[in-house]
Amino acid sequence: MHDILSELNKTTGITGSMVVGNDGIVIAADLQENLEDDTIGALAASITSNIHKSLQRLQTSPLKQVTIEADDAKLFFTDAGMGILVVTTEKEVNIGLIRLEIKNAISKLRVTS
């Protein structure tokens, strides 16, 4: 799993990645040193849980991906089956490329789990 995250992090613009259980517990992480794994994990679980509940109330399809755009970074939270794949990026990135690489990483994660 760490190999998959490491390979994903080689994508231009990606600054880190991790896999978090739906309960917020970190399964594997390869984030920048200034980011706290546990804090990001709890944030990802909380946000995706709340959005999932809202989507259920709206009677729409299950959550696939959440993108958060901040002043100096973007965060992608994507359903990976066994949990959530979290990807942090620089502010200015090719979102299409990032989403493609996330999709490829999730395919690999599902094979290994």
Side-chain angles (χ1 to χ4, degrees):
M1 190 172 297
H2 289 283
D3 294 341
I4 295 168
L5 297 178
S6 178
E7 187 67 27
L8 179 60
N9 289 353
K10 292 178 184 175
T11 304
T12 302
I14 292 181
T15 57
S17 60
M18 66 189 302
V19 177
V20 180
N22 292 320
D23 56 3
I25 295 180
V26 176
I27 298 170
D30 189 359
L31 293 174
Q32 291 179 326
E33 291 179 18
N34 64 332
L35 297 176
E36 296 179 24
D37 297 358
D38 293 336
T39 302
I40 300 293
L43 175 72
S46 175
I47 289 171
T48 55
S49 174
N50 286 329
I51 292 173
H52 178 74
K53 288 174 187 174
S54 295
L55 289 174
Q56 284 180 325
R57 286 188 204 121
L58 294 172
Q59 298 178 343
T60 189
S61 60
L63 173 68
K64 291 185 179 182
Q65 185 175 75
V66 175
T67 304
I68 297 175
E69 297 186 26
D71 284 342
D72 58 354
K74 288 182 176 53
L75 296 118
F76 296 80
F77 304 142
T78 308
D79 179 18
M82 85 299 270
I84 305 157
L85 174 62
V86 178
V87 176
T88 61
T89 72
E90 298 169 349
K91 178 182 178 178
E92 300 297 327
V93 292
N94 180 333
I95 293 177
L97 174 64
I98 300 300
R99 288 187 173 157
L100 177 63
E101 293 301 327
I102 287 171
K103 182 179 177 182
N104 292 338
I106 286 176
S107 294
K108 294 174 187 174
L109 288 169
R110 288 189 171 152
V111 169
T112 62
S113 61

